[in-house]
Amino acid sequence: QWIYRFGHPTNSQLPSSPRTRGWRRMTSKDVPSAMVLVNKWSSQFEIRRVFTSEEEFCHYFVCPNVPNHVYTHVVENETGSITDLVRYIIVSDKTGNLRAVISAVISTQSSVHQLIIDAMVSAKENGAKHVGVNQTNISIDILQLLSFQPSGSLAYFFYNYRYHE
């Protein structure tokens, strides 16, 4: 898999606020429905992470022990159901600049393109100077449309993953 990077999100490139209707930061009350959404969505893949407990899900998507590191946003529709989810991580690079890496985009109703833009806006609001995407489930065409460029590859070590039989 490739890491794609966007560079500096500037005001001219991004809207001033997320535009997806119902976009908000995930809270602990969202965990049960968000976990169902993630498990159901990932069932389409042969190799996937299966979350079996809310505690395990919180570890990856809420990370309460490390505040201001993992940011998970959900999209809530008019009936209160969680329909989409985006997760990004903010880390500091060698020079002290904050970088965001979008690591999950799960879309059942919203545009993936718009969800990525909203995640970039949110990351910028949280101090990120650069944004990258771990391209595991996102179309390369969408990343190129958003001006992301390949910047390296990753090796994956699979543990706690289930192979579809």
Side-chain angles (χ1 to χ4, degrees), residues 82-144:
I82 303 299
T83 60
D84 308 290
L85 179 143
V86 178
R87 173 184 179 252
Y88 63 88
I89 300 166
I90 292 188
V91 295
S92 181
D93 66 14
K94 291 184 250 180
T95 63
N97 287 323
L98 295 179
R99 295 181 178 264
V101 177
I102 300 170
S103 58
V105 177
I106 296 171
S107 173
T108 64
Q109 292 187 2
S110 302
S111 153
V112 171
H113 179 267
Q114 188 59 50
L115 290 173
I116 292 172
I117 291 172
D118 290 343
M120 292 167 61
V121 169
S122 175
K124 182 181 175 195
E125 289 172 350
N126 287 299
K129 302 292 184 210
H130 300 272
V131 178
V133 176
N134 180 354
Q135 186 268 324
T136 55
N137 65 333
I138 303 168
S139 164
I140 292 173
D141 294 336
I142 291 173
L143 296 177
Q144 290 173 340

Side-chain angles (χ1 to χ4, degrees), residues 16-56:
S16 59
S17 62
R19 293 189 176 162
T20 301
R21 184 183 206 142
W23 172 273
R24 63 176 175 78
R25 183 100 183 249
M26 188 173 83
T27 65
S28 58
K29 75 175 184 70
D30 299 319
V31 168
S33 56
M35 188 172 93
V36 168
L37 175 73
V38 169
N39 281 336
K40 183 178 179 184
W41 179 85
S42 67
S43 69
Q44 67 184 304
F45 302 106
E46 289 192 34
I47 297 177
R48 65 186 180 273
R49 179 73 192 237
V50 177
F51 294 97
T52 56
S53 73
E54 290 179 13
E55 180 181 40
E56 176 189 25

